[in-house]
Amino acid sequence: MSGHTDNSITIDAPLDLVWDMTNDIENWPHLFSEYASVEVLSREGEATTFRLTMHPDESGKVWSWVSERTMDRDSRTVRARRVETGPFAHMNIKWEYVQLPGGVQMRWVQDFAMKPDAPVDDDWMTDNINRNSRTQMALIRDRIEQAARDPRRTAPVAR
């Protein structure tokens, strides 16, 4: 069995701002509420390998893993995968950005499978990712829309 999620949100901001803010990996602890830190391990062209560390969960456990993320601005897509998979057999993520009349639709598609000895199964993780994606996307939308309204803003540049 495997898990699949597909979530999207429309952000009322210019495409360049949405792209730059969501792909500024070093700034993710300020964009997402769940990440405590990001450590960039390497960059090669449009590919970045980095370690994400979350804030402690309700039991005090700190989750951390290494991911690889490759941006393709021309196609307005980003592909990522966990290099250190932890409880996942695999985790692949695709982000898509589509210009719409009301803003930019940002879509996250995740395909994964949990290891047989993982503490949760695919169904539980699918529900968890869907719930968390909606929360994080709304937060990101609000932060980007606020930045878009700020006349003093200078957009971060995605590396």
Side-chain angles (χ1 to χ4, degrees):
M1 197 161 148
S2 62
H4 173 82
T5 65
D6 189 335
N7 293 280
S8 64
I9 195 164
T10 300
I11 303 170
D12 184 12
L15 177 62
D16 286 342
L17 181 64
V18 175
W19 177 271
D20 289 345
M21 287 185 70
T22 58
N23 287 294
D24 181 6
I25 295 169
E26 287 90 342
N27 195 50
W28 278 7
H30 304 289
L31 190 62
F32 292 80
S33 63
E34 61 189 340
Y35 300 138
S37 67
V38 175
E39 177 188 2
V40 172
L41 303 173
S42 69
R43 279 204 167 85
E44 197 169 312
E46 295 301 314
T48 304
T49 302
F50 57 99
R51 174 171 295 285
L52 273 175
T53 302
M54 297 183 77
H55 294 289
D57 66 17
E58 59 279 349
S59 67
K61 179 158 178 55
V62 174
W63 296 92
S64 181
W65 63 90
V66 173
S67 287
E68 180 182 84
R69 182 175 172 85
T70 303
M71 299 184 303
D72 183 348
R73 193 172 190 131
D74 291 340
S75 70
R76 300 178 180 165
T77 59
V78 178
R79 293 193 181 273
R81 68 181 184 89
R82 282 194 182 200
V83 176
E84 289 179 3
T85 58
F88 293 92
H90 69 272
M91 167 61 86
N92 298 305
I93 306 168
K94 182 178 182 184
W95 287 20
E96 298 174 330
Y97 302 80
V98 177
Q99 182 69 62
L100 301 174
V104 177
Q105 180 187 58
M106 180 177 67
R107 179 179 179 210
W108 298 346
V109 178
Q110 295 174 266
D111 290 297
F112 60 90
M114 303 308 295
K115 290 179 179 174
D117 61 347
V120 299
D121 64 14
D122 293 335
D123 290 338
W124 186 95
M125 187 56 72
T126 297
D127 289 342
N128 185 61
I129 290 172
N130 278 326
R131 186 173 44 259
N132 190 55
S133 291
R134 287 189 288 271
T135 298
Q136 295 303 313
M137 287 178 138
L139 180 63
I140 290 166
R141 177 202 58 213
D142 293 349
R143 288 178 174 168
I144 293 173
E145 288 179 355
Q146 181 180 12
R149 290 189 304 267
D150 185 349
R152 300 164 297 153
R153 78 166 163 87
T154 56
V157 176
R159 292 165 177 76

